[in-house]
Amino acid sequence: MARTDLNSVMIIGRLTRDAELSYLQSGTAVSKFSIAVNRSRKDGDQWISEANFFDVSLFGKSGENLKQYLTKGTQIAVQGSLRQDRWEKDGQKFSKVYIMANDVQLLGGRSEGGSNGGYSNDRSGYQGNGGYAPRQNSAPSSYDMSPDTGSFGGFGGDIAEDNIPF
């Protein structure tokens, strides 16, 4: 019987800082941000709250387009895979694990809940119109990657600015 490996992660948390946008030498955009995910656990008779922090990288047009909405305190959902970078400096080996996002959903403003959409690099449900043509002053609701070419397609819909809770 064949063995199948799985590398998938989904987390919901709040951004610890505004997203930082940079570009690779190839010209590909990379948006980097960090998410705090709170959890509670029982220690004896008391509940203890603790936070875990995760670094996330979002590549391509979706990283560029979402950057303006990825601000400190915003609640988001991230689906992706874990990646490990390894390097050596001055004879010492280093390693870092981060989340490479495939899908980012904006769940709410800094303190409000509710869904207001997001971007997706998910190839399974491409519904784009083949072009990037959002309305002026609108937030994205979905952005998909083309299953055939691997290039980014179009928006699945728009949300008017007055409907955004933040």
Side-chain angles (χ1 to χ4, degrees):
M1 182 168 183
R3 179 188 260 181
T4 303
D5 296 334
L6 177 66
N7 180 356
S8 182
V9 63
M10 180 173 221
I11 61 173
I12 296 174
R14 294 195 179 271
L15 293 168
T16 62
R17 57 185 162 82
D18 292 354
E20 298 172 2
L21 184 64
S22 61
Y23 294 87
L24 303 176
Q25 288 181 348
S26 65
T28 302
V30 181
S31 182
K32 293 185 179 185
F33 48 94
S34 181
I35 300 175
V37 178
N38 295 317
R39 82 170 220 162
S40 296
R41 63 179 176 84
K42 195 164 186 175
D43 186 13
D45 292 338
Q46 294 183 4
W47 283 94
I48 297 174
S49 183
E50 58 186 29
N52 293 291
F53 300 91
F54 301 95
D55 290 328
V56 180
S57 294
L58 179 61
F59 289 84
K61 287 282 187 190
S62 55
E64 266 182 324
N65 294 331
L66 255 185
K67 194 243 183 247
Q68 64 182 320
Y69 303 105
L70 296 175
T71 57
K72 182 177 179 176
T74 302
Q75 187 179 39
I76 63 171
V78 174
Q79 183 276 321
S81 59
L82 295 176
R83 298 295 168 116
Q84 182 178 31
D85 284 340
R86 296 179 185 161
W87 68 95
E88 190 173 321
K89 182 178 179 182
D90 300 330
Q92 209 172 10
K93 293 182 180 182
F94 295 90
S95 173
K96 180 177 180 171
V97 176
Y98 65 95
I99 298 170
M100 187 165 153
N102 293 329
D103 182 47
V104 173
Q105 295 292 317
L106 302 171
L107 298 179
R110 295 174 203 259
S111 61
E112 295 90 29
S115 176
N116 63 358
Y119 284 99
S120 172
N121 284 343
D122 181 14
R123 296 172 182 241
S124 63
Y126 177 69
Q127 298 176 7
N129 61 10
Y132 173 73
R135 289 182 292 167
Q136 282 293 68
N137 299 323
S138 64
S141 66
S142 112
Y143 195 81
D144 296 314
M145 203 168 171
S146 167
D148 300 326
T149 65
S151 63
F152 289 92
F155 282 96
D158 291 320
I159 294 177
E161 185 175 290
D162 54 354
N163 290 334
I164 298 174
F166 54 95

